Amino acid sequence: GAGELKDGVTGGPSKRSRPAPSLPTEASLYAGPFPFYRRPSELGCFSLDAERRYHGDSRALRYFAPPPAHGSAPDFDLREGYPERYRPRNEEIREGLDHLLRWLLEHRGQLEGGPGWLAGAVVTWRGHLTKLLTTPYELREGWQLAASRLQGTLYLSEVETPAARAQRLTRPPLLRELMYMGYKFEQYMCADTPGGSPDPSGEVNTNVAFCSVFRSRLGTHPLLFSGEVDCIDPKAPSTQPPACYVELKTSKEMHSPGQWKSFYRHKLLKWWAQSFLPGVPRVVAGFRDPEGSVRSFRTFPTMEMFELIRSDREGWNPSVCMNFCAAFLSFAQSTVTQDDPRLVHLFSWEPGGPVTVSVHHGAPYAFLPTWYVEAVTQ
Ligand code: 0WD
Ligand code: CA
């Protein structure tokens, strides 16, 4: 039963109903001091193998193995192996929070934070939080987040928008190849053992993932989220996660100050939000030429990214991102009052508008799997 959320229709015909609650997203509303954000700590990890099977260990973790810094200029052909050595994940399979819930089921007895910590927490993917952080600046892509409460905990799971689905199903061949190139870069930069050498001769299989599970808190909102980590730097000054983790990215080579400015405004915001959330301290970027070969590298320390855009009046501000995210979490916590794993509040946002809410029961929006609900409620 889908329906728009009607709020406060309590009296007779003479009483007017209040408008359905919504949350504005204009950046100017979220300026102000940076909110409290707890230093993220790693609670555990899991791996997904070549067949996308779950393992409660770090077997898919790879080791940062960049080419020598003072050697010859890099020449990584990112198109090499495409399409014959590409095994892309089946994107028709909607996994929701399933892998994270499996980890949580196996570790909820040993969570730190004291009894009741989980009941007050928000559980989600890091990527969903990244989308919330960038919302006040996003001009192109909307999102939908499904929310359910179970034993106090608020679970957030993304729903693919009709526009995103349409784009995925009509993804142009060049965009498919570009996606491959991002994964191929990881293969050139990572080894299977600490101190080992990359082996770019194998296949690129995007079923494989190493995911870390983090604990943090934004303002009053305790957070438990998981994110895919590209690699660990065996030479990092701190061997303690997340300080030893490295995020890998590729981008087009830039040739003019205007191109850099646009890169700082748009792409760097996404890179910052994604790595700031789990406390990953640096992003190593490979810049590719029009033929698809990486010609240069640049390391972006996450905590220095804002410096690159601070003086741009049309740039982004980390405080706005975090204040909006905190406001969304408060909005979601106060909207989802019933504890019911089959009840879904769907938060929808399109650029230029506010976040709106609709209420649904059961399929297709309910996302907490029966095996999880039964295990935690018995
Ligand atoms: O089913 C879905 N639509 C989604 C699945 C949406 C978001 C995430 N996921 C899965 C991913 O496959 C991964 O196993 O969740 C796990 C990690 O999520 P995350 O770390 O919260 O996701 P995000 O921060 O958006 O992406 C991290 C990396 C990406 O690296 P880049 O450098 O491109 O940001 O996870 C990978 C990708 O390498 N990734 C995916 N891989 C396969 N299928 C997907 C996806 N749909 N989304 C992200
Ligand atoms: Ca990456």
Side-chain angles (χ1 to χ4, degrees), residues 301-377:
T302 307
M303 298 311 280
E304 295 170 20
M305 290 179 183
F306 176 51
E307 293 306 322
L308 300 170
I309 192 76
R310 193 195 277 275
S311 62
D312 184 342
R313 295 176 53 88
E314 289 177 55
W316 46 273
N317 186 317
S319 300
V320 169
C321 300
M322 299 303 279
N323 286 326
F324 171 75
C325 187
F328 174 82
L329 295 174
S330 298
F331 179 57
Q333 287 285 11
S334 62
T335 302
V336 185
T337 52
Q338 269 196 72
D339 206 292
D340 176 351
R342 303 284 292 162
L343 181 68
V344 172
H345 282 77
L346 184 66
F347 294 88
S348 301
W349 179 73
E350 285 300 327
V355 179
T356 60
V357 197
S358 58
V359 194
H360 309 264
H361 200 275
Y365 288 109
F367 62 88
L368 291 170
T370 314
W371 55 261
Y372 183 75
V373 175
E374 286 180 350
V376 303
T377 50

Side-chain angles (χ1 to χ4, degrees), residues 182-183 185-186 228-230 246-250 274:
Y183 294 110
F185 181 60
E186 296 177 5
E228 192 173 327
V229 170
D230 288 334
V246 178
E247 171 67 32
L248 301 172
K249 295 286 186 199
T250 63
Q274 185 188 43

Side-chain angles (χ1 to χ4, degrees), residues 206-233:
T206 59
N207 289 291
V208 181
F210 168 76
C211 293
S212 183
V213 183
F214 301 96
R215 172 189 169 189
S216 183
R217 177 160 57 88
L218 173 55
T220 59
H221 303 287
L223 302 173
L224 187 152
F225 58 91
S226 177
E228 192 173 327
V229 170
D230 288 334
C231 57
I232 181 170
D233 182 359

Side-chain angles (χ1 to χ4, degrees), residues 136-149:
Y137 300 107
E138 177 62 44
L139 300 173
R140 300 205 316 227
E141 280 169 20
W143 48 255
Q144 292 190 311
L145 279 175
S148 290
R149 193 182 294 285

Side-chain angles (χ1 to χ4, degrees), residues 48-326:
L48 305 174
D49 69 17
E51 277 77 45
R52 201 73 179 169
R53 286 176 306 220
Y54 176 100
H55 301 274
D57 55 43
S58 61
R59 69 184 66 189
L61 176 59
R62 290 182 292 177
Y63 297 83
F64 186 53
H70 301 289
S72 48
D75 185 10
F76 292 160
D77 179 3
L78 300 180
R79 297 161 71 188
E80 201 272 322
Y82 186 82
E84 63 283 358
R85 277 184 285 131
Y86 186 28
R87 255 220 279 167
R89 187 178 79 90
N90 180 356
E91 291 175 275
E92 276 301 307
I93 301 174
R94 312 310 303 170
E95 296 175 331
L97 300 183
D98 291 9
H99 299 304
L100 172 55
L101 296 179
R102 171 140 181 212
W103 181 92
L104 195 48
L105 200 51
E106 288 169 9
H107 295 86
R108 73 198 160 108
Q110 305 111 260
L111 287 184
E112 37 176 91
W117 182 84
L118 184 59
V122 172
V123 170
T124 191
W125 284 112
R126 178 269 309 272
H128 302 358
L129 295 172
T130 305
K131 287 193 179 177
L132 289 171
L133 259 63
T134 59
T135 294
Y137 300 107
E138 177 62 44
L139 300 173
R140 300 205 316 227
E141 280 169 20
W143 48 255
Q144 292 190 311
L145 279 175
S148 290
R149 193 182 294 285
L150 175 60
Q151 295 190 330
T153 309
L154 188 67
Y155 296 86
L156 299 176
S157 181
E158 189 178 25
V159 173
E160 189 176 39
T161 63
R165 176 177 166 78
Q167 277 186 20
R168 172 167 62 79
L169 296 175
T170 60
R171 196 177 281 151
L174 273 173
L175 200 57
R176 288 169 204 262
E177 189 166 7
L178 212 56
M179 289 176 67
Y180 170 82
M181 291 162 69
Y183 294 110
K184 186 70 188 177
F185 181 60
E186 296 177 5
Q187 200 185 53
Y188 281 114
M189 298 289 281
C190 297
D192 288 338
T193 55
S197 296
D199 173 15
S201 71
E203 68 174 4
V204 170
N205 185 328
T206 59
N207 289 291
V208 181
F210 168 76
C211 293
S212 183
V213 183
F214 301 96
R215 172 189 169 189
S216 183
R217 177 160 57 88
L218 173 55
T220 59
H221 303 287
L223 302 173
L224 187 152
F225 58 91
S226 177
E228 192 173 327
V229 170
D230 288 334
C231 57
I232 181 170
D233 182 359
K235 294 185 177 150
S238 168
T239 57
Q240 199 177 296
C244 49
Y245 289 155
V246 178
E247 171 67 32
L248 301 172
K249 295 286 186 199
T250 63
S251 199
K252 265 198 199 125
E253 265 188 313
M254 275 157 298
H255 302 286
S256 69
Q259 288 176 335
W260 279 106
K261 184 177 238 182
S262 170
F263 166 84
Y264 294 150
R265 276 183 190 169
H266 306 290
K267 224 169 196 181
L268 204 62
L269 164 61
K270 299 204 169 159
W271 293 6
W272 171 80
Q274 185 188 43
S275 287
F276 178 77
L277 282 162
V280 171
R282 59 202 170 111
V283 176
V284 173
F287 293 96
R288 54 181 151 74
D289 67 16
E291 281 71 54
S293 285
V294 169
R295 294 299 182 180
S296 59
F297 298 107
R298 181 170 164 187
T299 297
F300 294 92
T302 307
M303 298 311 280
E304 295 170 20
M305 290 179 183
F306 176 51
E307 293 306 322
L308 300 170
I309 192 76
R310 193 195 277 275
S311 62
D312 184 342
R313 295 176 53 88
E314 289 177 55
W316 46 273
N317 186 317
S319 300
V320 169
C321 300
M322 299 303 279
N323 286 326
F324 171 75
C325 187

